[in-house]
Amino acid sequence: MDKILEAVVMSSYPNNVKQGLVRRVIEAAKQPMDSEQCWSMLELSTKLYLTGDTKYKREVGKEVLEVYGHYHPEEFEEFFNVRFLLSLLQEGYGPMGKRSHYVLDYIQLGLQFVLESPSANSIFSLLRIEVLRKICERPSPKQCAKISKLLTQHPQCIPTGKHQLLFCQQLIRCIGHFQCVSEGEEEIMEFLEQVNKVSGLLQRIWRTQTSTILPSLKELFTIISSTEEQEAPSNALASVVQFVPLELMDGVIRNLTNDDSITDVQMMMAIGRMIDWVSWPLGKNIDKWIIALLKGLAAVKKFSILIEVTLSKIEKVFSKLLYPIVREGALSVLQYMLLSFQHSHEAFHLLLPHIPRLVASLKKEDSNSATSSLEQLAELIHCMFFRFSGFPDLYEPVLEAIKALPIPNEDRIKHLLGQNAWTSQKNELACFYPRLASKSETGKIGLINLGNTCYMNSIIQSLFMASDFRHSVLNLTEGNSQPLMTKLQWLFAFLEHSQRPAISPESFLSASWPPWFTPGAQQDCSEYLKYLLDRLHEEEKTGKRIYQKLKESSFMSQAVEHHYLNKTLIEKMFGGKMMTKIRCLKCLNVSSREEAFTDLSLAFPPPDRNMHGNTSVLPVEEIGPQFIEPPENAGQLTESPWIKRKAPMAADPAALPMLVETLGFQEPGEAANPLSGNDIGPDKAKDPLLAFGEQACAPKDSRSVPDLINYFLSPERLTAENKYHCEKCASLQDAEKVAELTEGPHYLILTLLRFSFDPRTMKRKKILDNVSIPVVLKLPILVAPEETEEVCQCGKDSAAPGSGFMSVVYDLCSVVVHSGISSESGHYYCYSRECTDTVPQGQPRDGTPKPASDKQLDFEIQWYLFNDTRVSFSSFESVSNVTSFFPKDTAYVLFYRQRPGRQSCLLHEALAEAGRLHGEPSLHKDLMEAISKDNILYLQEQEKEARNRAAYISALPKSPLWWRDLDRDKDDDSSSGGCSPAAGGGGSGSFHGLVF
């Protein structure tokens, strides 16, 4: 029968004729026959299957084998023996020898008929050894896929024990040699299918034997980190990574990045080759592993590797965005590479020539993938514009390309930049060595204490957080003839853009040092602030005007320009005016003098003075965290106290024409203070101005900022030794003196005069009284008759005829706290937040108030605590309660920002217009380069420090308890100059080109 079958197959008959004859032979084979005949038929079918030169011959051989396996199992088992299989695997069959591609298919075909036979275990044992040997011979992808198919279908043939681990490692090495030699799409798809079969076998083994995963990954890393290979390992290795469980990621990355045996060159080679894997299609989680390794390198300060890899690979990653099949992963990697590379613009600028073409291509593609990628890319680009401003010539083509795409808000941009910077990555080893600690989670930067310089650090941080002032300083042009202001600009720029957790203000300290200050001694921060503002003001008066830039850019109208161009920046931001009037009580003649101020020094009234009986010309109101919305009659200006006013009776020297009125501050979740016996209900709380004429009853013996302002503004009797020399009477007379605010500053600075001279001890003592600080307050400003009409045009208030007062609303921005009992010792720190206009774009011209829903609640604005090098998140609750918890820690200097209104209308509009046109200030190139260089230097310092300490850290005990006290604040108020330097802690071609 075998001769008949061979003659039929080898004949020249048409295939359909042959098939009929073959069918008869196969049917006959189902009948019982002797063993010799079976062996002859099995030998013939084996020959046809393994050496047949046509597909038809191999199919006939397969059919015959299957029939004899089913109907003659004993003969088949005897034929399909261990010795025969060993010969096939080691020597091949017939003239094809070892080159036969069908041996593995033949074995897989025959195995199904001997699974239950006594010889099965011997066959499995043979195959376990032989598949390992074949894998070690680095077979082709096609042969490797056949081995994987065999082992997947018959897992009993997978090597076991130590051989299993070796098999996994060698299989990975085998994948590393895979290459697709054809550029045809069908061939590439076939190649991808083969790779997936091989990596799928690894996944199967890993699932059943998890102990093989980590050694397999170690082998993978050895391959991709090798510097000896002349040819780079195949990108097919990416298919292996996708099957590694993500829960192992943290441990794997931690071990890799902290392994001292891995050199920088090896790590650079490995991460570079991993980044090349973004071009591998259909791979899952590859981007996650790449980003995790990049973050791990950042955490251990290996910045030189990150810089080199980013600059060499970012353009290649960017180019993969053209291909939908790998776009998602490539975009994830690109986002992290760019957002983390914040010390320099170099990486981003490498992509600038390619962005317009990519954007045009994605728009033309018009798919969901392209649309989503465009939006994410636009967000990424705007983050880079924000971080590296000052290159309009380079950014213009890019900006034109993405102009129709959404623009992220500033908070989103800062969030992305803050969480992805290399210096923000956490290192679990940092706790063992404080100098390895990351940048503050707040994104803010601290200032190094240079020896009792906390007084300056607190003032600088408060000024920096005054966003309008900061933007104006950063907008200074180069060569502005203001040396001190230039140094402040550099300091602000580093506070905004440095990667360091804290920077040294040494240069600014030496330039702004008051000559009478004693080096190394604690100083009065209020005194320093006054001196600093005065120096900056005088310097600008003799130099170039800061608002010349506004004139050139036509930000302002001519009228506004004329009004503000004559003012210095200090006057615009912090300058106010105050009228001092003295009235003779005999002839009632009034003399007056107007003077400018940059801060109000608020004295404490005598202990026996009843604050709620004292009055000023208009109540200073303390407002809770509600929104200010005007009542119908809120525009009625309060008359001046000396208009149609009778002189007070001599018998009642304290009698005054108006009561001081305040609106009690309401803490969140607490009941309001009683107002004339009535609680402030929810309805009234919405409109605090409705209580304008009602008297507040504060707790007995308490002090508040409005109390101190009212005391400051209340009339003072000049009698006895303080009599006033009246020019009209030409003699000393009893008189009454009063101060009236005629122009409210944009930023109101209040100094609480807590230090007084004690003649008994001949020292300055400190008033430790707790003073409640309102988050919002209203200040009375005198309105001249000729200005009354203008009130209606810029604010919510309307004016009544005649001279009177109006309320101007201020929001709390910063609180500088002094900790200690003397001005010569102790420590300063500050709480700050960034205040912006609560009424977007200012109030409407028609006086209609914006609805409350358009505004942000005061308590939703994040507070920060600046304590020299340490910066942390805080809250207004902490600001309010600091003295309650720490009696020696008292508010000393307060910064308030004026809300848009009549007084500030022009300045607010100018600042808003400048912000809309230019956004975040653009720094000049010298300053940007200096910051970039310093950032690189810092990364190098950190990397060197991490390497030097690697051995030290590894030797430390596991328990962190021993170092718990190392990072505590060492300020000691009992010692002179208790503020020590440590105060406060411390990235369309062919399909083939895509894949390879």
Side-chain angles (χ1 to χ4, degrees):
M1 190 180 291
D2 57 303
K3 301 297 183 183
I4 298 173
L5 180 61
E6 185 176 13
V8 170
V9 172
M10 300 298 179
S11 70
S12 59
Y13 293 121
N15 283 348
N16 58 343
V17 176
K18 291 183 187 180
Q19 189 62 35
L21 297 173
V22 169
R23 183 59 53 196
R24 292 182 182 180
V25 172
I26 290 176
E27 288 298 323
K30 296 178 182 180
Q31 305 301 319
M33 61 179 65
D34 58 56
S35 178
E36 185 179 350
Q37 185 63 48
C38 285
W39 269 76
S40 299
M41 289 297 292
L42 287 170
E43 286 179 345
L44 176 61
S45 59
T46 298
K47 177 182 177 182
L48 291 173
Y49 191 89
L50 293 175
T51 63
D53 54 359
T54 64
K55 184 178 180 181
Y56 173 74
K57 292 178 182 179
R58 292 193 296 272
E59 287 178 349
V60 170
K62 179 183 177 183
E63 285 187 58
V64 174
L65 280 170
E66 289 176 337
V67 168
Y68 278 84
H70 277 297
Y71 293 96
H72 306 282
E74 294 180 2
E75 288 79 6
F76 188 90
E77 180 183 345
E78 186 179 353
F79 177 82
F80 199 78
N81 59 64
V82 172
R83 183 176 296 179
F84 174 61
L85 294 180
L86 181 62
S87 174
L88 279 179
L89 290 167
Q90 292 188 354
E91 301 173 11
Y93 186 88
M96 294 290 292
K98 294 181 181 180
R99 294 175 295 166
S100 173
H101 291 296
Y102 303 104
V103 170
L104 292 169
D105 302 274
Y106 176 81
I107 293 175
Q108 183 178 343
L109 177 66
L111 274 177
Q112 60 183 311
F113 304 111
V114 298
L115 294 176
E116 304 298 330
S117 69
S119 63
N121 288 332
S122 299
I123 294 174
F124 295 155
S125 297
L126 170 69
L127 290 175
R128 291 187 197 113
I129 297 173
E130 286 301 307
V131 293
L132 176 58
R133 181 184 62 79
K134 276 198 167 290
I135 288 297
C136 291
E137 292 176 354
R138 307 287 181 262
S140 66
K142 185 174 183 179
Q143 285 296 95
C144 208
K146 289 184 177 183
I147 294 175
S148 300
K149 183 179 179 181
L150 169 65
L151 299 185
T152 302
Q153 188 169 341
H154 301 288
Q156 307 95 319
C157 303
I158 297 175
T160 58
K162 293 181 180 180
H163 287 164
Q164 187 175 79
L165 175 57
L166 180 61
F167 176 78
C168 291
Q169 293 172 328
Q170 291 301 318
L171 195 60
I172 290 173
R173 285 201 169 272
C174 198
I175 297 173
H177 285 82
F178 285 178
Q179 297 296 334
C180 184
V181 295
S182 175
E183 295 189 7
E185 187 168 336
E186 288 185 8
E187 289 80 0
I188 291 176
M189 294 303 296
E190 182 182 1
F191 174 72
L192 292 174
E193 186 179 352
Q194 292 164 357
V195 173
N196 283 337
K197 283 182 181 178
V198 179
S199 57
L201 174 62
L202 270 174
Q203 181 191 24
R204 182 186 183 95
I205 297 175
W206 287 349
R207 280 179 177 172
T208 56
Q209 293 292 331
T210 55
S211 60
T212 60
I213 298 178
L214 294 180
S216 299
L217 291 181
K218 185 176 181 180
E219 189 71 19
L220 172 63
F221 187 83
T222 302
I223 296 169
I224 64 174
S225 63
S226 174
T227 58
E228 299 175 359
E229 300 286 342
Q230 293 183 349
E231 189 174 337
S234 171
N235 283 349
L237 287 170
S239 65
V240 174
V241 176
Q242 66 180 325
F243 296 123
V244 181
L246 291 179
E247 56 265 26
L248 297 179
M249 181 182 288
D250 290 343
V252 170
I253 298 300
R254 183 170 60 248
N255 290 337
L256 282 177
T257 54
N258 290 285
D259 189 342
D260 294 334
S261 66
I262 301 173
T263 67
D264 284 0
V265 176
Q266 289 174 322
M267 184 62 78
M268 197 178 303
M269 189 70 72
I271 187 63
R273 287 167 173 169
M274 283 182 68
I275 290 174
D276 289 341
W277 292 351
V278 297
S279 63
W280 184 258
L282 308 176
K284 297 177 182 178
N285 300 328
I286 296 172
D287 56 324
K288 294 183 176 67
W289 281 94
I290 296 171
I291 293 170
L293 184 53
L294 291 171
K295 286 183 176 180
L297 290 171
V300 294
K301 316 296 181 185
K302 294 186 178 179
F303 301 120
S304 58
I305 298 175
L306 292 168
I307 291 171
E308 182 67 28
V309 166
T310 301
L311 293 178
S312 62
K313 295 294 183 180
I314 195 165
E315 289 178 280
K316 184 171 184 178
V317 174
F318 185 82
S319 68
K320 303 308 173 187
L321 299 182
L322 285 168
Y323 307 100
I325 198 169
V326 297
R327 181 177 293 152
E328 184 179 354
L331 185 56
S332 296
V333 175
L334 178 72
Q335 284 175 323
Y336 179 75
M337 293 175 80
L338 272 184
L339 290 171
S340 62
F341 201 92
Q342 292 187 30
H343 66 281
S344 167
H345 53 70
E346 194 174 356
F348 177 51
H349 284 193
L350 285 174
L351 303 182
L352 293 178
H354 312 298
I355 293 176
R357 291 197 296 271
L358 175 68
V359 171
S361 177
L362 292 177
K363 287 181 178 178
K364 185 177 180 181
E365 183 183 315
D366 193 27
S367 65
N368 291 335
S369 168
T371 302
S372 174
S373 299
L374 272 174
E375 293 177 356
Q376 294 179 65
L377 183 63
E379 182 178 71
L380 186 59
I381 292 170
H382 281 292
C383 287
M384 295 297 100
F385 286 167
F386 181 89
R387 181 66 186 85
F388 304 113
S389 57
F391 301 92
D393 53 329
L394 296 177
Y395 294 166
E396 187 177 350
V398 177
L399 197 58
E400 178 66 24
I402 64 170
K403 64 182 180 181
L405 297 170
I407 301 175
N409 60 44
E410 190 170 315
D411 289 340
R412 170 68 176 166
I413 290 174
K414 288 182 176 179
H415 171 73
L416 290 172
L417 291 173
Q419 72 175 6
N420 287 290
W422 286 338
T423 47
S424 69
Q425 302 306 323
K426 297 295 175 292
N427 179 8
E428 64 176 18
L429 300 177
C431 59
F432 295 114
Y433 189 65
R435 289 185 63 184
L436 291 179
S438 303
K439 187 175 177 179
S440 168
E441 292 180 3
T442 64
K444 304 296 182 185
I445 296 172
L447 289 169
I448 296 172
N449 192 311
L450 301 173
N452 284 317
T453 58
C454 55
Y455 67 90
M456 178 190 71
N457 291 349
S458 298
I459 293 301
I460 294 301
Q461 294 286 20
S462 297
L463 292 174
F464 177 79
M465 293 296 285
S467 53
D468 297 332
F469 177 63
R470 178 179 76 244
H471 289 168
S472 298
V473 172
L474 292 176
N475 267 321
L476 274 172
T477 55
E478 200 172 0
N480 52 73
S481 303
Q482 300 175 64
L484 184 58
M485 186 69 85
T486 300
K487 285 186 179 292
L488 183 62
Q489 181 191 39
W490 278 64
L491 184 56
F492 278 6
F494 272 82
L495 285 173
E496 183 88 12
H497 298 291
S498 178
Q499 294 296 302
R500 296 180 183 270
I503 60 174
S504 171
E506 185 175 2
S507 176
F508 187 77
L509 174 64
S510 60
S512 63
W513 182 279
W516 61 89
F517 276 16
T518 305
Q522 184 61 281
Q523 305 294 343
D524 187 330
C525 75
S526 174
E527 188 178 2
Y528 174 76
L529 175 60
K530 288 183 175 72
Y531 176 78
L532 175 61
L533 296 182
D534 186 60
R535 277 276 310 276
L536 293 171
H537 168 68
E538 293 298 328
E539 183 180 84
E540 188 179 346
K541 280 175 64 177
T542 58
K544 183 180 178 180
R545 293 291 185 265
I546 185 73
Y547 268 66
Q548 188 66 35
K549 183 179 179 181
L550 291 180
K551 178 182 178 182
E552 295 169 357
S553 303
S554 301
F555 286 171
M556 293 182 169
S557 66
Q558 291 300 317
V560 177
E561 176 192 327
H562 177 74
H563 182 72
Y564 284 101
L565 201 54
N566 294 325
K567 288 189 173 186
T568 66
L569 177 59
I570 301 304
E571 287 177 311
K572 293 166 193 166
M573 292 294 164
F574 305 103
K577 291 182 180 178
M578 178 169 54
M579 181 79 72
T580 303
K581 298 179 181 180
I582 302 178
R583 186 179 62 164
C584 175
L585 295 181
K586 182 177 180 181
C587 66
L588 300 182
N589 180 58
V590 178
S591 64
S592 60
R593 182 180 79 255
E594 188 176 52
E595 50 192 351
F597 69 88
T598 53
D599 80 315
L600 296 180
S601 299
L602 306 179
F604 284 71
D608 57 346
R609 180 150 179 169
N610 179 13
M611 285 306 302
H612 302 293
N614 297 326
T615 60
S616 63
V617 293
L618 190 74
V620 176
E621 295 196 10
E622 179 181 349
I623 304 169
Q626 305 96 339
F627 297 121
I628 305 303
E629 298 204 13
E632 295 178 3
N633 60 349
Q636 192 76 22
L637 295 180
T638 309
E639 291 187 352
S640 173
W642 289 343
I643 297 175
K644 298 180 181 180
R645 173 181 167 187
K646 294 181 181 179
M649 299 293 292
D652 186 12
L656 291 170
M658 296 182 64
L659 293 177
V660 176
E661 300 162 30
T662 62
L663 180 60
F665 177 72
Q666 183 179 356
E667 288 283 348
E670 294 182 2
N673 289 334
L675 209 62
S676 299
N678 298 322
D679 291 342
I680 302 178
D683 296 334
K684 290 189 178 181
K686 292 178 183 176
D687 195 357
L689 293 186
L690 290 176
F692 199 69
E694 302 178 28
Q695 184 176 0
C697 301
K700 186 179 179 181
D701 298 328
S702 68
R703 298 282 189 228
S704 69
V705 170
D707 290 340
L708 301 189
I709 299 176
N710 284 336
Y711 179 60
F712 176 83
L713 297 176
S714 63
E716 176 187 358
R717 281 294 181 93
L718 304 177
T719 60
E721 296 179 358
N722 291 327
K723 282 190 176 183
Y724 165 68
H725 186 275
C726 178
E727 295 181 359
K728 190 173 182 180
C729 298
S731 61
L732 292 173
Q733 296 292 338
D734 288 347
E736 191 176 60
K737 177 183 176 182
V738 69
E740 296 174 342
L741 302 178
T742 57
E743 184 177 319
H746 185 63
Y747 284 100
L748 172 66
I749 302 175
L750 304 175
T751 302
L752 311 187
L753 297 179
R754 291 187 173 275
F755 302 110
S756 60
F757 184 74
D758 188 345
R760 293 178 300 169
T761 60
M762 302 299 291
K763 289 184 178 180
R764 295 176 73 192
K765 67 177 183 178
K766 180 178 177 181
I767 301 172
L768 295 172
D769 293 6
N770 191 4
V771 176
S772 65
I773 305 169
V775 71
V776 183
L777 63 79
K778 295 198 297 182
L779 205 63
I781 304 295
L782 181 66
V783 182
E786 61 272 12
E787 297 178 19
T788 316
E789 275 187 34
E790 300 175 12
V791 177
C792 308
Q793 299 177 7
C794 282
K796 54 197 170 190
D797 298 307
S798 57
S803 177
F805 290 83
M806 65 171 292
S807 289
V808 175
V809 181
Y810 282 88
D811 296 288
L812 183 66
C813 293
S814 295
V815 178
V816 179
V817 176
H818 177 262
S819 175
I821 57 174
S822 166
S823 61
E824 288 82 25
S825 66
H827 177 55
Y828 288 99
Y829 56 91
C830 75
Y831 295 94
S832 290
R833 63 172 181 165
E834 291 204 46
C835 285
T836 54
D837 293 342
T838 49
V839 183
Q841 310 297 332
Q843 287 286 3
R845 288 286 182 175
D846 60 2
T848 305
K850 294 270 181 132
S853 59
D854 289 344
K855 311 171 188 177
Q856 186 181 21
L857 278 170
D858 294 303
F859 282 104
E860 293 176 355
I861 302 176
Q862 180 64 57
W863 282 88
Y864 302 94
L865 171 58
F866 295 91
N867 196 337
D868 287 338
T869 56
R870 183 180 298 167
V871 187
S872 56
F873 291 111
S874 190
S875 64
F876 183 68
E877 184 180 6
S878 298
V879 181
S880 303
N881 296 331
V882 65
T883 307
S884 302
F885 295 139
F886 308 99
K888 291 186 293 184
D889 293 28
T890 54
Y892 185 37
V893 178
L894 314 177
F895 287 73
Y896 282 86
R897 181 183 183 273
Q898 186 181 153
R899 287 190 184 179
R902 184 199 69 84
Q903 284 274 330
S904 60
C905 179
L906 300 177
L907 181 57
H908 272 281
E909 289 183 0
L911 291 170
E913 183 67 17
R916 282 193 295 271
L917 292 177
H918 283 263
E920 194 68 15
S922 298
L923 306 179
H924 55 79
K925 291 187 178 180
D926 286 349
L927 183 48
M928 285 296 296
E929 288 177 4
I931 294 171
S932 294
K933 287 180 181 178
D934 184 70
N935 284 339
I936 294 174
L937 177 62
Y938 169 67
L939 297 179
Q940 293 170 345
E941 290 171 359
Q942 290 294 290
E943 182 172 359
K944 182 179 179 181
E945 189 69 50
R947 293 177 188 279
N948 290 342
R949 293 286 168 171
Y952 167 72
I953 293 171
S954 62
L956 291 178
K958 293 183 179 179
S959 173
L961 297 177
W962 64 274
W963 57 264
R964 179 175 290 172
D965 295 327
L966 290 182
D967 201 29
R968 286 186 177 172
D969 195 334
K970 297 180 177 60
D971 286 340
D972 184 2
D973 295 316
S974 62
S975 63
S976 178
C979 179
S980 69
S988 161
S990 69
F991 189 83
H992 184 267
L994 158 68
V995 184
F996 310 103

